[in-house]
């Protein structure tokens, strides 16, 4: 039986489809294009003052947690890697980007936000940093069949956004 080509994402097509979506939803790029903000490295400035720091994946550990004296291995059994993490004041906004173009495993991944948020809360508690956990989803998810999942996401204190993340939701 011939293998059917994957045209919807996930599996071997994750990078092809996901990175294009992640490129369209690049938070630092969006902030840098906004007239009120300037981005230098991982720092976000407004009126010449640093208002936020941004980290992705392993850099959250190397660039923030380790220099702050936090050894994740003494807190978590396994490292968790955010697509994005924005520190604004005493709140870390964890931003997960999910792209889908057909039925697949991302549907079930959306239901893990409660666990992951609790893990991040444990990780940042030694630093007295609050955690907000957000999904940025592509428009595939803008369907009534996801209403139960969206209700669940909100019921456990997480949020979701379709195609965009308003700056006021991340403390800016």
């Amino acid at each position: 039986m011939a293998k059917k080509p994957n045209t919807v994402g996930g599996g071997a097509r994750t990078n092809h489809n996901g990175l294009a979506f992640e490129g369209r939803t690049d938070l630092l790029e969006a902030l840098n294009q906004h007239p009120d903000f300037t981005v230098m490295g991982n720092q976000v400035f407004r009126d010449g003052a640093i208002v936020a720091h941004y980290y992705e994946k392993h850099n959250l550990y190397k660039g923030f947690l380790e220099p702050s004296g936090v050894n994740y291995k003494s807190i978590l059994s396994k490292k968790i890697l955010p697509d994005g993490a924005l520190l604004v004041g005493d709140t870390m906004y964890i931003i997960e980007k999910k792209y889908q173009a057909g039925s697949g495993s991302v549907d079930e991944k959306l239901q893990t936000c409660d666990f992951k948020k609790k893990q991040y809360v444990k990780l940042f508690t030694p630093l007295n940093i609050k955690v907000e956990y957000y999904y940025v989803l592509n428009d595939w998810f803008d369907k009534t069949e996801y209403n139960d999942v969206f209700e669940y996401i909100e019921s456990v204190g997480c949020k979701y956004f379709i195609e965009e993340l308003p700056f006021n939701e991340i403390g800016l």
Side-chain angles (χ1 to χ4, degrees), residues 125-136:
T125 292
L127 301 173
N128 293 317
I129 293 176
K130 295 178 279 192
V131 173
E132 295 293 338
Y133 192 93
Y134 295 169
Y135 285 120
V136 177

Side-chain angles (χ1 to χ4, degrees), residues 52-78:
H53 290 85
Y54 183 77
Y55 307 93
E56 291 181 350
K57 308 280 185 199
H58 294 283
N59 193 38
L60 176 63
Y61 297 83
K62 292 281 185 203
F64 181 68
L65 290 167
E66 288 175 16
S68 298
V70 174
N71 176 4
Y72 84 91
K73 292 178 184 178
S74 67
I75 300 169
L76 303 178
S77 59
K78 184 177 181 182

Side-chain angles (χ1 to χ4, degrees), residues 145-160:
E145 67 191 71
Y146 288 100
N147 287 351
D148 291 338
V149 173
F150 293 155
E151 286 177 22
Y152 172 75
I153 289 169
E154 291 176 341
S155 77
V156 296
C158 301
K159 292 186 179 182
Y160 69 93

